[in-house]
Amino acid sequence: MSGRAHRIGAVAGALLALLAAGPVAAGAAAESSVDDASLLYLSSNDWERQSETRKVAMAADFMRIFCTDQRMSAISLADCLDRDKADGALFERAMACVSALSTGR
């Protein structure tokens, strides 16, 4: 249970840091091109327009920042996001993909 609490704490800490920098980060994202965008700021439509190489790079960046459990590869995360067409923010979908792997679903 402490491993799960540690993962939740790490994700919560990262999210709090992003929320604190929200206006600055949002402004920076608006000024950058979609090619420079993070998975955090992409819509589902923006994700679908990315090249496979760019998707894997964004997935790897997401895993490095938000996941202390690195059992899922960036390629697997990108594939999961391509298959998962659920409603919701891409960030939430990525968290669900990683969570499903760690819970064995």
Side-chain angles (χ1 to χ4, degrees), residues 21-35:
V24 173
E31 293 174 8
S32 69
S33 69
V34 172
D35 289 340

Side-chain angles (χ1 to χ4, degrees), residues 6-69:
H6 177 71
R7 283 195 307 270
I8 291 170
V11 170
L15 289 174
L16 287 174
L18 284 172
L19 289 174
V24 173
E31 293 174 8
S32 69
S33 69
V34 172
D35 289 340
D36 295 333
S38 163
L39 187 146
L40 182 63
Y41 301 110
L42 287 182
S43 69
S44 294
N45 289 334
D46 289 336
W47 172 259
E48 291 177 15
R49 288 192 293 262
Q50 301 300 307
S51 70
E52 292 301 315
T53 303
R54 183 69 184 133
K55 286 178 179 180
V56 171
M58 286 188 290
D61 190 46
F62 173 87
M63 295 294 292
R64 181 182 55 79
I65 295 169
F66 294 103
C67 300
T68 57
D69 183 354

